[in-house]
């Protein structure tokens, strides 16, 4: 199959793709086993990515970023998936955390924090999920109570990507515990974080995912994102479409990578005296997978184009997230079957892709929540 070129690509993005591909092949792909064993990438990877300009690609240059658009982030995400990596949490760092700061931070906050994220001096995380509150953000219990010129934060968070390495964490907390959504605010915490264990996950073994604890943590009141308390829920709702599109981009890139590696395998592997590709079942299954990839790519590309125009709405982003993650699970499972027993061995990329794929239907809001969002718009 000829490689499909998305309509949103241009010559600048072609050059970025080559840079990203080279970086992934040199700095990330060879170290997958070690990252998985230590449950985190090397801290210096962030610095090296910052040195070559791969962090905060869509943040304005005046704050140290690349001055690009979401398309630049998408290219990097695609090359990360192509390299078979799920360990490096840059999608959260650059695609989510940096954009909360850029969208809601004061000029002083942006000048203070964004250049550090862009250089890799700081690693960013966002702390939403709690042990008792996942997709239901209104159910969070972490509190940030104003005390003079400071907030005092108490609570715990879990499943936090980049939690161990994070130097800067955007904490979702209740500044008015008596209120529901209108009592939620976003507050930035630097360094003063008690880390729990790095979590032992089914997949994404090399990704730094940790528990965080806040015990009477005091931060300046100036670390509030927004010009008043109670804006957190609205800020989250405004940014979640990009987060969900990021998941969609990762998923379609994962689908395409799985089909590519499986095609290569079935053309080399033999059974009963002939290549696996010569069996009708193999050809039919791969025909189905290739079609799933083409249909999903067309939809995700349309969503990227809408987002670049500022037209991606919440229900469409929810569609992109649930559809692409659901298709990823289906396609990767079919590909594992075509690998036979080798598809269940962790040294094969398809096995890691299979275990990595499952969580895509959970994080960023479960697919059941996505369907509820879509249904409400009908």
């Amino acid at each position: 199959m000829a490689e499909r070129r998305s309509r949103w690509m241009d010559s600048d993005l072609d050059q970025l793709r080559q840079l990203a591909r080279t970086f992934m092949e040199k700095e990330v792909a060879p170290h997958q086993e070690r990252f998985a064993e230590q449950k985190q990438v090397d801290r210096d990877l962030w610095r090296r990515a910052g040195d070559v300009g791969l962090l905060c690609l869509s943040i304005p240059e005046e704050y140290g970023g690349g001055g690009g658009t979401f398309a630049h982030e998408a290219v990097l995400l695609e090359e990360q998936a192509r390299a078979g990596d799920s360990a490096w949490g840059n999608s959260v760092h650059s695609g989510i955390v940096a954009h909360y700061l850029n969208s809601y931070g004061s000029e002083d906050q942006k000048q203070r924090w964004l250049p550090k994220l862009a250089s890799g001096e700081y690693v960013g995380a966002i702390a939403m999920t709690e042990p008792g509150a996942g997709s239901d953000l209104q159910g969070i219990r972490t509190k940030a109570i104003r005390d003079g010129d400071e907030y005092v934060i108490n609570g715990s968070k879990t499943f936090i990507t980049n939690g161990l390495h994070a130097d800067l964490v955007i904490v979702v907390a209740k500044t008015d515990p008596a209120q529901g959504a209108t009592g939620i605010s976003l507050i930035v915490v630097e360094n003063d974080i008690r880390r729990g264990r790095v979590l032992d996950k089914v997949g994404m073994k090399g990704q730094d995912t940790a528990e965080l604890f806040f015990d009477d943590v005091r931060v300046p009141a100036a670390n509030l994102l927004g010009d008043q308390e109670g804006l957190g829920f609205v800020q989250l709702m405004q940014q979640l479409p990009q987060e969900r599109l990021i998941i969609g981009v990762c998923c379609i890139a994962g689908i395409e990578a799985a089909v590519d590696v499986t095609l290569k395998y079935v053309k080399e592997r033999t059974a009963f005296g002939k290549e696996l590709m010569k069996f009708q079942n193999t050809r039919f299954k791969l025909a189905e997978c290739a079609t799933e990839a083409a249909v999903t790519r067309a939809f995700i590309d349309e969503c990227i184009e809408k987002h670049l125009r500022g037209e991606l709405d919440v229900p469409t982003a929810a569609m992109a997230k649930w559809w692409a993650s659901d298709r990823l699970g289906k396609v990767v499972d079919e590909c594992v079957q075509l690998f036979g027993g080798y598809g269940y061995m962790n040294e094969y990329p398809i096995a890691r892709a299979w275990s990595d794929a499952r969580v895509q239907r959970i994080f960023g809001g479960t697919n059941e929540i996505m369907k509820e969002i879509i249904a409400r718009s009908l």
Side-chain angles (χ1 to χ4, degrees):
M1 291 176 63
E3 185 173 342
R4 183 184 187 278
R5 180 178 170 83
S6 300
R7 289 192 302 265
W8 48 267
M9 287 292 297
D10 59 26
S11 58
D12 176 59
L13 293 169
D14 287 331
Q15 293 179 30
L16 172 62
R17 187 178 296 282
Q18 189 55 54
L19 171 63
R21 186 169 296 183
T22 300
F23 183 83
M24 290 295 170
E25 290 174 349
K26 178 183 178 182
E27 303 286 357
V28 179
H31 309 296
Q32 289 300 298
E33 289 187 16
R34 181 164 55 80
F35 291 164
E37 288 174 3
Q38 64 193 28
K39 298 183 182 178
Q40 58 186 288
V41 300
D42 298 335
R43 178 61 179 84
D44 193 50
L45 177 64
W46 294 95
R47 291 273 195 178
R48 294 197 295 273
D51 289 343
V52 298
L54 289 178
L55 298 180
C56 300
L57 287 166
S58 54
I59 294 300
E61 292 180 349
E62 63 190 286
Y63 303 121
T69 67
F70 182 79
H72 293 76
E73 303 288 357
V75 166
L76 180 55
L77 291 169
E78 289 177 354
E79 289 306 312
Q80 185 176 1
R82 182 182 179 276
D85 176 65
S86 63
W88 187 34
N90 183 53
S91 63
V92 171
H93 173 96
S94 294
I96 298 174
V97 173
H99 280 270
Y100 276 96
L101 299 178
N102 189 53
S103 296
Y104 310 117
S106 66
E107 185 63 24
D108 177 68
Q109 289 172 333
K110 289 190 280 190
Q111 293 285 357
R112 183 152 44 109
W113 292 322
L114 285 173
K116 292 181 178 180
L117 293 178
S119 68
E121 178 184 347
Y122 270 16
V123 174
I126 183 164
M128 296 189 206
T129 304
E130 298 182 3
S135 296
D136 178 16
L137 292 174
Q138 296 188 56
I140 65 169
R141 296 185 177 181
T142 297
K143 298 176 183 178
I145 304 302
R146 183 75 178 257
D147 182 19
D149 292 333
E150 295 179 317
Y151 283 104
V152 181
I153 303 176
N154 283 282
S156 62
K157 301 288 184 177
T158 193
F159 309 142
I160 307 305
T161 300
N162 301 335
L164 188 66
H165 282 164
D167 306 283
L168 180 150
V169 180
I170 298 174
V171 179
V172 182
K174 288 280 185 73
T175 45
D176 186 348
Q179 300 298 317
T182 57
I184 293 175
S185 300
L186 305 184
I187 299 175
V188 176
V189 178
E190 292 180 82
N191 296 312
D192 191 9
I193 305 156
R194 182 163 67 88
R195 330 272 172 158
R197 61 197 175 108
V198 177
L199 300 170
D200 184 15
K201 305 181 298 296
V202 171
M204 294 188 167
K205 293 281 191 180
Q207 189 181 95
D208 159 14
T209 308
E211 300 170 320
L212 302 180
F213 300 95
F214 303 91
D215 309 308
D216 290 326
V217 172
R218 289 182 171 269
V219 300
N223 284 20
L224 176 72
L225 285 185
D227 55 11
Q228 65 184 63
E229 295 180 357
L231 299 178
F233 192 77
V234 172
Q235 293 165 340
L236 290 165
M237 293 305 104
Q238 290 172 342
Q239 292 296 316
L240 279 171
Q242 175 156 311
E243 178 179 347
R244 287 162 182 164
L245 181 56
I246 285 171
I247 295 171
V249 171
C250 292
C251 288
I252 179 53
I255 291 170
E256 292 167 343
V259 172
D260 286 347
V261 74
T262 306
L263 275 169
K264 184 175 185 292
Y265 180 79
V266 299
K267 289 177 180 179
E268 296 174 348
R269 178 76 173 173
T270 60
F272 302 102
K274 59 181 180 179
E275 295 174 3
L276 292 181
M277 190 61 178
K278 295 188 182 299
F279 290 93
Q280 186 182 64
N281 179 70
T282 302
R283 297 198 304 273
F284 280 14
K285 287 296 183 183
L286 282 170
E288 293 171 7
C289 291
T291 304
E292 296 276 14
V295 171
T296 304
R297 167 56 72 181
F299 179 46
I300 295 299
D301 277 353
E302 179 183 333
C303 290
I304 291 172
E305 290 168 10
K306 284 185 176 181
H307 193 42
L308 292 172
R309 296 193 302 267
E311 298 172 1
L312 182 66
D313 58 31
V314 171
T316 306
M319 290 178 183
K321 191 270 179 186
W322 97 254
W323 177 265
S325 62
D326 191 75
R327 297 301 93 180
L328 173 65
K330 178 180 178 181
V331 168
V332 173
D333 193 71
E334 294 284 13
C335 290
V336 166
Q337 193 70 17
L338 291 173
F339 270 78
Y342 291 107
Y344 206 62
M345 300 295 108
N346 277 326
E347 67 256 36
Y348 280 75
I350 198 65
R352 298 195 297 271
W354 181 69
S355 57
D356 290 345
R358 185 60 184 88
V359 75
Q360 304 280 1
R361 285 175 271 171
I362 297 172
F363 60 26
T366 65
N367 280 5
E368 290 73 23
I369 295 293
M370 297 304 99
K371 293 174 186 177
E372 182 64 26
I373 290 170
I374 296 162
R376 288 175 183 174
S377 73
L378 301 180

